[in-house]
Structure formats: structure tokens, C-alpha cells
Amino acid sequence: MPRRHFRVTGAREAPVRAALTTLRTELDVPDAFPPEVLAEAARTARKPALPADDATDVPFFTLDPPASTDLDQAMHLSRRGTGYRVRYAIADVAAFVVPGGALDAETHRRVLTLYFPDERIPLHPQILSEAAASLLPDGPRPATLWTIDLDADGSTRAVDVRRALVRSRAKLDYAAVQGQLDAETAEEPLALLRTIGRLREQLEQDRGGISLAVPEQEIVERAGRYELTYRAALPAENWNAQISLLTGMAAAEIMLAHGTGVLRTLPAAPDGAVGRLRRTATALHIDWPHHVSYAALIRSLDPHIPRHAAFLQECTTLLRGASYTVFRDGAVPEHPTHAAVASPYTHCTAPLRRLVDRYATEICLAATAGKPVPDWVLTELDALPARMTEGTRRSNAAERGCVDLVEAALLAGRVGEVFEGCVVDVDDRQPTVGTVQLETPAVVARVTGGRDPLPLGERLRVRLTEADAATGVRFAPAEPGTMVDTADEPGGRPRGAP
């Protein structure tokens, strides 16, 4: 499940800077690393535990947003007979973190890297996360190397995982890669990303997996000011995500066979939730025949159509409730599946940014080598779900809080103006309360105060009633016939017009 990137540097507007500082205080976000943690990180950065295997002859590449420097994954893709070989190198954090040390304790306090518009709060000190442990193309790095062989249709045939020294040759970004793929100029290791990605997407569809194409709000910076845009993922991003999913599924199968592990699980949606979605589809004039599965319907929708976008937004409710499930000594969970992946799955591909991945990796390495799982892993295993749940809650709150702050700053001084949007959610118990998604600016906020039920999936003119960094953004339905404000639009075009 990809994380959102706030691709900005430096908060230049004092009110936004102050509000972000307040948000971090409210969320109890960790501040600077203690001196003893920084000292330990500096020592291990100079002298990590190096693996015996050497894979530096493999020309790995990384694929991330252009500004990213905390690079967890590097890949190399090749043909193997009628099938394919995926080599996926994951930063070996355990080569730098001593169990029971000050750095280890600090990562258990932080749990996840947090992203704010003005700064990043890393899980590990930057000397590791953005330098010595990151798979940057400036020299060899210790890594956990996954080698996954696929057949002609992309199905997994063999998996190997071991520690190895690797070297990335290129730091690539999504837009440039997409351009090469579209122009048919990519060399084979990169061109195979599309081939394998599409095969894995088809397999996902066949097993009933779900990938929601909901455009995200994204904070960007232009001319020293924050703005919000809607951003849909490029195909290359989805194909890259399929490689990560492939590895997470392989890791889950290794742990289940071994009898000890930690899975990312999500129960199937209850009938009542699916029934609610069917009623929503009817309200949005979306045809959902009973013989068509939920997953198949999702793939038929176009997020650029307002009523489809509204339905996709509602579908995210079925993906809530994911958790981490620990098992040991052969007592595998009764329900080990992640419903959205439609397969057992675990987090193991982002150890620089997520605590649990280091533990999942160690279990897989031990299982593959036929060795006991390290005691330090077993000691902390049962406490991991609670730690990750709290860390995820804080990360989600930080992300939503950042967007709320930028929305408020963007609309400050415009209370009373009228905008055009689409109603993407309506409260079942209070049909006059819901959520509106503006087209311009890219704001998603509460709408309330009208006398009539909100028209789910329909366009609606709304009046801004509140825009405050402390309390958020609120709208109310505008009176019929009210004109959309045209200020600041080229040629007097109505703000929000297509």
C-alpha cells in the first residue's frame, strides 16, 4: 500500500510553519535523535556487518519519487527461459542496528518515518536512512536479496532470500521511467517492469485482489507557496508496487510454512458493508449486476468521472481494519489473508521507514537458511502489532493533519466565496452532512448546514463557511442560482470549471 509523498522543502509561510509545529506537538512526534543514538548510528555507518555473498555484478536500479533519498528497494529484472527472474534488493537495516542498543530502542519508539511538508521525521538517523543504509547509486550496500523466479504468466515458481552485497547503478524516478516505457526506449531490465507488472496485475484480478485508483490530494510547492493538487498514480508506479506485493506475498508464504511470522491481515468486508456499497452504487447510477464481483466492478470504473470517483472514495471504507497478526511455533492464524491482496501478505520491503519489516525479514532469512529465528526477534514479536498500530495511527493523523493545514492556508481569506465540487460521501444517519471534493483548488472537506439531503455523486455549489488552521475547512450548500466566484481565473473562467 503506497505511502503519500509530500514533495516539498521548507515552510516559508510563518502561519503554516507554526501550525505544523503545533501539529507535531499534538501528535507527540519524536524530535531530534538522542546523542547516544546518533553516536551509535555513526559507528555502524562506518562499519556495518557485511554479508558473505557478493552480488555487486548485478546492475540494480531504484525507482522512487525524484527527491527521495531513503531508498529501501532496488531491482533487476531479466528473462529466464519462457519466464522471468526478479531480483529485489532490500536495504539491510539489521546490518546497522544492534539488537538491544540505543538505536534499536529509538526505532521502537518511532515505529515509522513521518512525512510533513516542511520536514521528515525519520525512523533511523539520516546518516543511515539517507546515506549508509540507503540503496543509493554511490557504492556497494549490504542488502537482503530476494530472487523470485516466475513462469510465463507471472506466477511464482521459486523463491530464495539471503544477505548479499549489492550496488545500484541508477536512481530512476517514475515520470522519467514512464516516459521511456511509453516511447519504447527502455532497455530490457526496465522494459520488463511493464511486462511483469501487467502479468502480476492480471493475476491480482484473477485471484480477486483490489487496487483502488482513487486520486490523492498531494501537497506541492510552487514559487515558495504550498498548493494542493489531485494526483493519479502513473502505470509505472502501479507496476513497481506489484513487485513489492510479489515479495510481500512470497515472504508471507515462507513464514506460514515455517510456522512463525508476522502478517499484514485484513478480514473480508462484512455483508452489511457491501450492501451499503450496493445502495451507494444505485444512488450514483452505477450499474452493478449481481453476477459481477466487487473487484471486477472496481476495475471498470474511471476515477475521472465524478460519480465513479465518489464511489471509489466510498470503497476505501472496505479497506479499513487492517492489522498485524503474529503467530509462532506452528500455530498459524485461521485467517491469514489480506482481503485487498486476496492472499497472505506481509510488510518486508521498507525497513528504512517501517519497523516491522526488519522483523519479517529476519524470520524469512532464518526460515530459508534452516536456522532458528534470532532470539531478539522472538522476544519482541508479540509486542509488534500494538507498536505498529499506534505508529500507523500517528502517521495517518499526521498526513491528514498536514492536508487540513494546507487546505486552511490555501482558503484563508476566502470565507463566503462559492466553489463548485462533487459530493463524494453522505452520512447515512444525517443525509444533510457529507464530504465535498472541489475541482479547483484540490480540497476535500466537510459540507453541512443545508436543508435537503446531499446529492451523492452529483455536482454541488458550496459556500466556504470556515477556513482555520485550528478547526479546519467547512462548507455549506450555496443557494440555488449562486454564481461560482471567477476571481483569479484566466479569462474569467469559473473557478472549478473543467
Side-chain angles (χ1 to χ4, degrees), residues 303-358:
H304 299 97
I305 299 173
R307 57 194 176 90
H308 288 191
F311 185 77
L312 288 167
Q313 190 68 42
E314 286 294 294
C315 289
T316 61
T317 60
L318 298 193
L319 302 183
R320 297 169 187 165
S323 60
Y324 292 92
T325 300
V326 165
F327 59 99
R328 59 170 75 216
D329 302 324
V332 300
E334 183 178 357
H335 301 289
T337 299
H338 190 293
V341 181
S343 171
Y345 169 72
T346 193
H347 281 154
C348 66
T349 62
L352 290 176
R353 296 177 274 116
R354 195 169 47 207
L355 175 65
V356 69
D357 297 50
R358 174 156 54 104

Short mmCIF file of all heavy atoms in Angstrom, two decimals, residues 303-358:
data_model
loop_
_atom_site.label_atom_id
_atom_site.label_comp_id
_atom_site.label_asym_id
_atom_site.label_seq_id
_atom_site.Cartn_x
_atom_site.Cartn_y
_atom_site.Cartn_z
N PRO A 303 -11.81 6.94 -12.59
CA PRO A 303 -11.77 7.93 -11.49
C PRO A 303 -11.92 9.37 -11.96
O PRO A 303 -12.11 10.26 -11.15
CB PRO A 303 -10.40 7.70 -10.85
CG PRO A 303 -9.58 7.05 -11.90
CD PRO A 303 -10.52 6.22 -12.72
N HIS A 304 -11.84 9.62 -13.28
CA HIS A 304 -12.01 10.97 -13.79
C HIS A 304 -13.48 11.35 -13.95
O HIS A 304 -13.81 12.51 -14.17
CB HIS A 304 -11.28 11.13 -15.13
CG HIS A 304 -9.80 10.90 -15.02
ND1 HIS A 304 -9.21 9.69 -15.32
CD2 HIS A 304 -8.79 11.71 -14.61
CE1 HIS A 304 -7.91 9.77 -15.12
NE2 HIS A 304 -7.62 10.99 -14.69
N ILE A 305 -14.37 10.37 -13.84
CA ILE A 305 -15.81 10.63 -13.88
C ILE A 305 -16.27 10.88 -12.44
O ILE A 305 -16.07 10.02 -11.57
CB ILE A 305 -16.57 9.44 -14.49
CG1 ILE A 305 -16.11 9.20 -15.94
CG2 ILE A 305 -18.08 9.66 -14.43
CD1 ILE A 305 -16.69 7.95 -16.56
N PRO A 306 -16.89 12.02 -12.14
CA PRO A 306 -17.19 12.38 -10.75
C PRO A 306 -17.95 11.30 -9.98
O PRO A 306 -17.60 10.99 -8.83
CB PRO A 306 -18.01 13.66 -10.89
CG PRO A 306 -17.51 14.28 -12.15
CD PRO A 306 -17.22 13.13 -13.07
N ARG A 307 -18.97 10.69 -10.56
CA ARG A 307 -19.74 9.71 -9.79
C ARG A 307 -18.91 8.44 -9.57
O ARG A 307 -19.06 7.76 -8.55
CB ARG A 307 -21.07 9.40 -10.46
CG ARG A 307 -20.99 8.90 -11.88
CD ARG A 307 -22.38 8.96 -12.56
NE ARG A 307 -22.30 8.59 -13.95
CZ ARG A 307 -22.43 7.33 -14.40
NH1 ARG A 307 -22.68 6.37 -13.53
NH2 ARG A 307 -22.35 7.05 -15.67
N HIS A 308 -18.00 8.11 -10.51
CA HIS A 308 -17.11 6.98 -10.29
C HIS A 308 -16.11 7.29 -9.20
O HIS A 308 -15.81 6.44 -8.35
CB HIS A 308 -16.37 6.63 -11.59
CG HIS A 308 -17.25 6.00 -12.62
ND1 HIS A 308 -16.74 5.42 -13.77
CD2 HIS A 308 -18.59 5.87 -12.70
CE1 HIS A 308 -17.74 4.95 -14.50
NE2 HIS A 308 -18.87 5.23 -13.88
N ALA A 309 -15.57 8.51 -9.22
CA ALA A 309 -14.63 8.92 -8.17
C ALA A 309 -15.29 8.88 -6.80
O ALA A 309 -14.68 8.47 -5.81
CB ALA A 309 -14.10 10.32 -8.46
N ALA A 310 -16.55 9.29 -6.74
CA ALA A 310 -17.27 9.26 -5.47
C ALA A 310 -17.43 7.83 -4.98
O ALA A 310 -17.28 7.54 -3.79
CB ALA A 310 -18.64 9.92 -5.64
N PHE A 311 -17.74 6.92 -5.89
CA PHE A 311 -17.91 5.52 -5.50
C PHE A 311 -16.57 4.93 -5.03
O PHE A 311 -16.52 4.21 -4.02
CB PHE A 311 -18.47 4.71 -6.66
CG PHE A 311 -18.79 3.28 -6.28
CD1 PHE A 311 -19.92 2.97 -5.56
CD2 PHE A 311 -17.93 2.25 -6.63
CE1 PHE A 311 -20.21 1.67 -5.19
CE2 PHE A 311 -18.21 0.94 -6.28
CZ PHE A 311 -19.35 0.65 -5.56
N LEU A 312 -15.49 5.22 -5.75
CA LEU A 312 -14.18 4.71 -5.35
C LEU A 312 -13.80 5.23 -3.97
O LEU A 312 -13.18 4.51 -3.17
CB LEU A 312 -13.13 5.11 -6.38
CG LEU A 312 -13.21 4.37 -7.72
CD1 LEU A 312 -12.33 5.06 -8.77
CD2 LEU A 312 -12.80 2.93 -7.56
N GLN A 313 -14.14 6.48 -3.69
CA GLN A 313 -13.87 7.04 -2.37
C GLN A 313 -14.62 6.26 -1.30
O GLN A 313 -14.08 5.95 -0.23
CB GLN A 313 -14.28 8.51 -2.33
CG GLN A 313 -13.83 9.26 -1.09
CD GLN A 313 -12.32 9.43 -1.03
OE1 GLN A 313 -11.68 9.72 -2.02
NE2 GLN A 313 -11.75 9.22 0.15
N GLU A 314 -15.88 5.89 -1.59
CA GLU A 314 -16.66 5.09 -0.64
C GLU A 314 -16.06 3.70 -0.46
O GLU A 314 -16.13 3.12 0.63
CB GLU A 314 -18.10 4.97 -1.14
CG GLU A 314 -18.92 6.24 -0.99
CD GLU A 314 -19.12 6.59 0.47
OE1 GLU A 314 -19.80 5.84 1.19
OE2 GLU A 314 -18.57 7.61 0.91
N CYS A 315 -15.45 3.16 -1.51
CA CYS A 315 -14.89 1.81 -1.44
C CYS A 315 -13.73 1.72 -0.44
O CYS A 315 -13.42 0.62 0.04
CB CYS A 315 -14.40 1.38 -2.82
SG CYS A 315 -15.74 1.02 -3.98
N THR A 316 -13.09 2.82 -0.15
CA THR A 316 -11.98 2.79 0.80
C THR A 316 -12.43 2.34 2.18
O THR A 316 -11.61 1.88 2.98
CB THR A 316 -11.29 4.16 0.90
OG1 THR A 316 -12.22 5.13 1.36
CG2 THR A 316 -10.73 4.59 -0.45
N THR A 317 -13.73 2.45 2.48
CA THR A 317 -14.23 2.01 3.78
C THR A 317 -14.05 0.51 3.98
O THR A 317 -13.94 0.03 5.11
CB THR A 317 -15.71 2.39 3.97
OG1 THR A 317 -16.48 1.75 2.94
CG2 THR A 317 -15.90 3.89 3.85
N LEU A 318 -14.03 -0.26 2.87
CA LEU A 318 -13.87 -1.71 2.99
C LEU A 318 -12.43 -2.11 3.29
O LEU A 318 -12.16 -3.25 3.62
CB LEU A 318 -14.32 -2.40 1.71
CG LEU A 318 -15.79 -2.24 1.30
CD1 LEU A 318 -16.12 -3.22 0.20
CD2 LEU A 318 -16.74 -2.44 2.47
N LEU A 319 -11.50 -1.17 3.13
CA LEU A 319 -10.09 -1.48 3.35
C LEU A 319 -9.63 -1.10 4.74
O LEU A 319 -8.45 -1.25 5.07
CB LEU A 319 -9.24 -0.76 2.30
CG LEU A 319 -9.57 -1.09 0.84
CD1 LEU A 319 -8.61 -0.38 -0.10
CD2 LEU A 319 -9.54 -2.60 0.59
N ARG A 320 -10.53 -0.57 5.55
CA ARG A 320 -10.17 -0.25 6.93
C ARG A 320 -10.18 -1.53 7.78
O ARG A 320 -10.87 -2.48 7.48
CB ARG A 320 -11.13 0.78 7.51
CG ARG A 320 -11.09 2.12 6.77
CD ARG A 320 -12.22 3.02 7.17
NE ARG A 320 -12.26 4.23 6.33
CZ ARG A 320 -13.28 5.05 6.25
NH1 ARG A 320 -14.37 4.81 6.99
NH2 ARG A 320 -13.24 6.10 5.46
N GLY A 321 -9.41 -1.50 8.83
CA GLY A 321 -9.39 -2.66 9.72
C GLY A 321 -8.22 -3.59 9.51
O GLY A 321 -8.17 -4.68 10.09
N ALA A 322 -7.24 -3.17 8.69
CA ALA A 322 -6.05 -3.99 8.53
C ALA A 322 -5.25 -4.02 9.83
O ALA A 322 -5.22 -3.04 10.57
CB ALA A 322 -5.18 -3.46 7.38
N SER A 323 -4.61 -5.13 10.10
CA SER A 323 -3.85 -5.27 11.34
C SER A 323 -2.64 -6.17 11.10
O SER A 323 -2.48 -6.74 10.02
CB SER A 323 -4.73 -5.86 12.45
OG SER A 323 -5.21 -7.15 12.07
N TYR A 324 -1.80 -6.27 12.13
CA TYR A 324 -0.66 -7.16 12.09
C TYR A 324 -0.97 -8.39 12.95
O TYR A 324 -1.39 -8.25 14.10
CB TYR A 324 0.60 -6.46 12.59
CG TYR A 324 1.07 -5.37 11.67
CD1 TYR A 324 0.65 -4.05 11.84
CD2 TYR A 324 1.93 -5.66 10.60
CE1 TYR A 324 1.08 -3.05 10.97
CE2 TYR A 324 2.34 -4.66 9.73
CZ TYR A 324 1.92 -3.36 9.92
OH TYR A 324 2.33 -2.38 9.06
N THR A 325 -0.76 -9.56 12.40
CA THR A 325 -1.08 -10.81 13.08
C THR A 325 0.19 -11.63 13.29
O THR A 325 0.85 -12.03 12.32
CB THR A 325 -2.10 -11.63 12.26
OG1 THR A 325 -3.29 -10.86 12.09
CG2 THR A 325 -2.43 -12.93 12.95
N VAL A 326 0.53 -11.84 14.54
CA VAL A 326 1.73 -12.61 14.91
C VAL A 326 1.34 -14.06 15.17
O VAL A 326 0.28 -14.34 15.76
CB VAL A 326 2.38 -11.99 16.16
CG1 VAL A 326 3.38 -12.95 16.80
CG2 VAL A 326 3.06 -10.67 15.80
N PHE A 327 2.18 -14.98 14.75
CA PHE A 327 1.99 -16.39 15.08
C PHE A 327 3.36 -17.02 15.28
O PHE A 327 4.38 -16.51 14.81
CB PHE A 327 1.20 -17.12 13.98
CG PHE A 327 1.87 -17.09 12.63
CD1 PHE A 327 2.61 -18.17 12.18
CD2 PHE A 327 1.77 -15.98 11.80
CE1 PHE A 327 3.23 -18.17 10.94
CE2 PHE A 327 2.37 -15.95 10.56
CZ PHE A 327 3.12 -17.04 10.12
N ARG A 328 3.39 -18.11 16.01
CA ARG A 328 4.68 -18.78 16.30
C ARG A 328 4.44 -20.25 16.60
O ARG A 328 3.31 -20.68 16.86
CB ARG A 328 5.40 -18.09 17.45
CG ARG A 328 4.60 -18.07 18.75
CD ARG A 328 5.48 -17.59 19.91
NE ARG A 328 5.72 -16.15 19.88
CZ ARG A 328 6.87 -15.60 20.23
NH1 ARG A 328 7.90 -16.34 20.58
NH2 ARG A 328 7.01 -14.29 20.23
N ASP A 329 5.53 -21.01 16.55
CA ASP A 329 5.54 -22.43 16.93
C ASP A 329 4.50 -23.25 16.16
O ASP A 329 3.90 -24.18 16.70
CB ASP A 329 5.30 -22.58 18.44
CG ASP A 329 6.34 -21.83 19.25
OD1 ASP A 329 7.50 -21.81 18.82
OD2 ASP A 329 5.98 -21.26 20.30
N GLY A 330 4.28 -22.90 14.90
CA GLY A 330 3.39 -23.68 14.06
C GLY A 330 1.92 -23.37 14.20
O GLY A 330 1.08 -23.93 13.46
N ALA A 331 1.56 -22.48 15.13
CA ALA A 331 0.14 -22.14 15.34
C ALA A 331 -0.26 -21.03 14.37
O ALA A 331 -0.46 -19.87 14.75
CB ALA A 331 -0.08 -21.70 16.79
N VAL A 332 -0.38 -21.38 13.09
CA VAL A 332 -0.67 -20.37 12.06
C VAL A 332 -2.09 -19.85 12.25
O VAL A 332 -2.99 -20.56 12.72
CB VAL A 332 -0.49 -20.95 10.64
CG1 VAL A 332 0.93 -21.42 10.43
CG2 VAL A 332 -1.47 -22.08 10.38
N PRO A 333 -2.33 -18.58 11.90
CA PRO A 333 -3.66 -17.99 12.10
C PRO A 333 -4.72 -18.66 11.23
O PRO A 333 -4.44 -19.13 10.12
CB PRO A 333 -3.47 -16.53 11.72
CG PRO A 333 -2.24 -16.50 10.88
CD PRO A 333 -1.37 -17.61 11.35
N GLU A 334 -5.93 -18.68 11.74
CA GLU A 334 -7.05 -19.29 10.99
C GLU A 334 -7.36 -18.49 9.73
O GLU A 334 -7.74 -19.05 8.70
CB GLU A 334 -8.28 -19.35 11.90
CG GLU A 334 -9.47 -20.03 11.25
CD GLU A 334 -10.66 -20.12 12.18
OE1 GLU A 334 -10.54 -19.70 13.35
OE2 GLU A 334 -11.73 -20.60 11.72
N HIS A 335 -7.21 -17.16 9.81
CA HIS A 335 -7.49 -16.30 8.66
C HIS A 335 -6.24 -15.47 8.36
O HIS A 335 -6.10 -14.33 8.83
CB HIS A 335 -8.68 -15.39 8.96
CG HIS A 335 -9.93 -16.13 9.29
ND1 HIS A 335 -10.64 -16.85 8.35
CD2 HIS A 335 -10.60 -16.28 10.47
CE1 HIS A 335 -11.69 -17.41 8.92
NE2 HIS A 335 -11.69 -17.08 10.21
N PRO A 336 -5.31 -16.01 7.56
CA PRO A 336 -4.04 -15.32 7.32
C PRO A 336 -4.04 -14.35 6.14
O PRO A 336 -3.01 -13.79 5.82
CB PRO A 336 -3.11 -16.50 7.02
CG PRO A 336 -3.99 -17.48 6.31
CD PRO A 336 -5.34 -17.35 6.96
N THR A 337 -5.20 -14.15 5.53
CA THR A 337 -5.24 -13.42 4.26
C THR A 337 -5.47 -11.93 4.46
O THR A 337 -6.16 -11.50 5.38
CB THR A 337 -6.37 -14.00 3.37
OG1 THR A 337 -6.07 -15.37 3.11
CG2 THR A 337 -6.49 -13.25 2.06
N HIS A 338 -4.90 -11.16 3.55
CA HIS A 338 -5.21 -9.73 3.43
C HIS A 338 -6.25 -9.63 2.32
O HIS A 338 -5.98 -9.93 1.15
CB HIS A 338 -3.96 -8.94 3.07
CG HIS A 338 -4.12 -7.46 3.16
ND1 HIS A 338 -4.94 -6.75 2.30
CD2 HIS A 338 -3.58 -6.54 4.00
CE1 HIS A 338 -4.88 -5.47 2.61
NE2 HIS A 338 -4.08 -5.31 3.64
N ALA A 339 -7.47 -9.19 2.66
CA ALA A 339 -8.58 -9.25 1.72
C ALA A 339 -8.33 -8.43 0.46
O ALA A 339 -8.75 -8.82 -0.64
CB ALA A 339 -9.86 -8.77 2.40
N ALA A 340 -7.65 -7.30 0.57
CA ALA A 340 -7.40 -6.48 -0.62
C ALA A 340 -6.36 -7.12 -1.54
O ALA A 340 -6.42 -6.98 -2.76
CB ALA A 340 -6.95 -5.08 -0.21
N VAL A 341 -5.39 -7.82 -0.95
CA VAL A 341 -4.38 -8.51 -1.74
C VAL A 341 -4.93 -9.85 -2.23
O VAL A 341 -4.49 -10.39 -3.25
CB VAL A 341 -3.09 -8.72 -0.92
CG1 VAL A 341 -2.01 -9.42 -1.73
CG2 VAL A 341 -2.57 -7.38 -0.40
N ALA A 342 -5.92 -10.38 -1.50
CA ALA A 342 -6.52 -11.69 -1.78
C ALA A 342 -5.47 -12.80 -1.67
O ALA A 342 -5.45 -13.74 -2.47
CB ALA A 342 -7.20 -11.71 -3.15
N SER A 343 -4.63 -12.68 -0.67
CA SER A 343 -3.55 -13.64 -0.45
C SER A 343 -2.92 -13.34 0.90
O SER A 343 -3.01 -12.21 1.38
CB SER A 343 -2.51 -13.51 -1.56
OG SER A 343 -1.35 -14.28 -1.27
N PRO A 344 -2.25 -14.29 1.51
CA PRO A 344 -1.40 -13.94 2.65
C PRO A 344 -0.33 -12.95 2.21
O PRO A 344 0.22 -13.05 1.10
CB PRO A 344 -0.79 -15.28 3.07
CG PRO A 344 -1.77 -16.30 2.59
CD PRO A 344 -2.30 -15.76 1.30
N TYR A 345 0.00 -12.02 3.10
CA TYR A 345 0.88 -10.92 2.72
C TYR A 345 1.54 -10.37 3.97
O TYR A 345 0.97 -10.42 5.07
CB TYR A 345 0.05 -9.83 2.03
CG TYR A 345 0.76 -8.52 1.80
CD1 TYR A 345 1.76 -8.39 0.84
CD2 TYR A 345 0.42 -7.39 2.55
CE1 TYR A 345 2.40 -7.18 0.64
CE2 TYR A 345 1.05 -6.18 2.35
CZ TYR A 345 2.05 -6.08 1.40
OH TYR A 345 2.68 -4.89 1.21
N THR A 346 2.76 -9.86 3.82
CA THR A 346 3.42 -9.21 4.95
C THR A 346 4.21 -8.01 4.47
O THR A 346 4.50 -7.87 3.28
CB THR A 346 4.38 -10.19 5.66
OG1 THR A 346 4.78 -9.63 6.91
CG2 THR A 346 5.61 -10.49 4.83
N HIS A 347 4.53 -7.13 5.38
CA HIS A 347 5.38 -5.98 5.10
C HIS A 347 6.84 -6.39 5.31
O HIS A 347 7.23 -6.78 6.41
CB HIS A 347 5.05 -4.82 6.04
CG HIS A 347 3.84 -4.05 5.63
ND1 HIS A 347 3.05 -3.34 6.51
CD2 HIS A 347 3.26 -3.88 4.40
CE1 HIS A 347 2.06 -2.76 5.86
NE2 HIS A 347 2.17 -3.08 4.59
N CYS A 348 7.64 -6.28 4.25
CA CYS A 348 9.06 -6.64 4.38
C CYS A 348 9.95 -5.82 3.46
O CYS A 348 11.16 -6.04 3.43
CB CYS A 348 9.26 -8.13 4.11
SG CYS A 348 8.92 -8.62 2.40
N THR A 349 9.39 -4.87 2.70
CA THR A 349 10.18 -4.20 1.66
C THR A 349 10.53 -2.75 1.97
O THR A 349 11.09 -2.07 1.11
CB THR A 349 9.42 -4.26 0.31
OG1 THR A 349 8.18 -3.55 0.43
CG2 THR A 349 9.15 -5.70 -0.11
N ALA A 350 10.22 -2.27 3.18
CA ALA A 350 10.54 -0.88 3.52
C ALA A 350 11.12 -0.76 4.91
O ALA A 350 10.62 -0.01 5.75
CB ALA A 350 9.28 -0.01 3.38
N PRO A 351 12.21 -1.46 5.22
CA PRO A 351 12.74 -1.45 6.59
C PRO A 351 13.37 -0.13 7.01
O PRO A 351 13.51 0.11 8.22
CB PRO A 351 13.79 -2.57 6.56
CG PRO A 351 14.22 -2.63 5.13
CD PRO A 351 12.99 -2.35 4.34
N LEU A 352 13.77 0.72 6.07
CA LEU A 352 14.29 2.03 6.47
C LEU A 352 13.19 2.91 7.05
O LEU A 352 13.47 3.83 7.83
CB LEU A 352 14.90 2.75 5.25
CG LEU A 352 16.21 2.18 4.71
CD1 LEU A 352 16.61 2.96 3.46
CD2 LEU A 352 17.32 2.23 5.75
N ARG A 353 11.93 2.63 6.67
CA ARG A 353 10.83 3.51 7.03
C ARG A 353 9.77 2.85 7.90
O ARG A 353 8.85 3.53 8.35
CB ARG A 353 10.17 4.04 5.75
CG ARG A 353 11.11 4.90 4.93
CD ARG A 353 10.50 5.38 3.62
NE ARG A 353 10.66 4.42 2.55
CZ ARG A 353 9.67 3.79 1.94
NH1 ARG A 353 8.42 4.00 2.32
NH2 ARG A 353 9.90 2.94 0.97
N ARG A 354 9.90 1.53 8.14
CA ARG A 354 8.85 0.83 8.89
C ARG A 354 9.49 -0.25 9.75
O ARG A 354 10.22 -1.11 9.24
CB ARG A 354 7.85 0.23 7.89
CG ARG A 354 6.53 -0.21 8.43
CD ARG A 354 5.56 -0.52 7.28
NE ARG A 354 6.18 -1.34 6.25
CZ ARG A 354 5.81 -1.33 4.96
NH1 ARG A 354 4.83 -0.55 4.56
NH2 ARG A 354 6.42 -2.11 4.08
N LEU A 355 9.22 -0.24 11.03
CA LEU A 355 9.89 -1.12 11.99
C LEU A 355 9.64 -2.59 11.73
O LEU A 355 10.56 -3.41 11.77
CB LEU A 355 9.43 -0.76 13.41
CG LEU A 355 9.94 -1.64 14.55
CD1 LEU A 355 11.46 -1.53 14.69
CD2 LEU A 355 9.25 -1.27 15.86
N VAL A 356 8.40 -2.98 11.45
CA VAL A 356 8.04 -4.38 11.37
C VAL A 356 8.79 -5.12 10.26
O VAL A 356 9.04 -6.33 10.37
CB VAL A 356 6.51 -4.53 11.16
CG1 VAL A 356 6.09 -4.04 9.79
CG2 VAL A 356 6.05 -5.96 11.39
N ASP A 357 9.20 -4.40 9.22
CA ASP A 357 9.84 -5.06 8.08
C ASP A 357 11.16 -5.72 8.47
O ASP A 357 11.53 -6.76 7.91
CB ASP A 357 10.10 -4.03 6.98
CG ASP A 357 8.82 -3.43 6.43
OD1 ASP A 357 7.99 -2.98 7.25
OD2 ASP A 357 8.64 -3.40 5.20
N ARG A 358 11.88 -5.13 9.42
CA ARG A 358 13.15 -5.73 9.87
C ARG A 358 12.89 -7.10 10.50
O ARG A 358 13.67 -8.04 10.29
CB ARG A 358 13.84 -4.79 10.85
CG ARG A 358 15.09 -5.37 11.51
CD ARG A 358 16.05 -4.28 12.00
NE ARG A 358 15.42 -3.32 12.88
CZ ARG A 358 15.59 -3.29 14.20
NH1 ARG A 358 16.34 -4.20 14.80
NH2 ARG A 358 15.02 -2.34 14.92
#
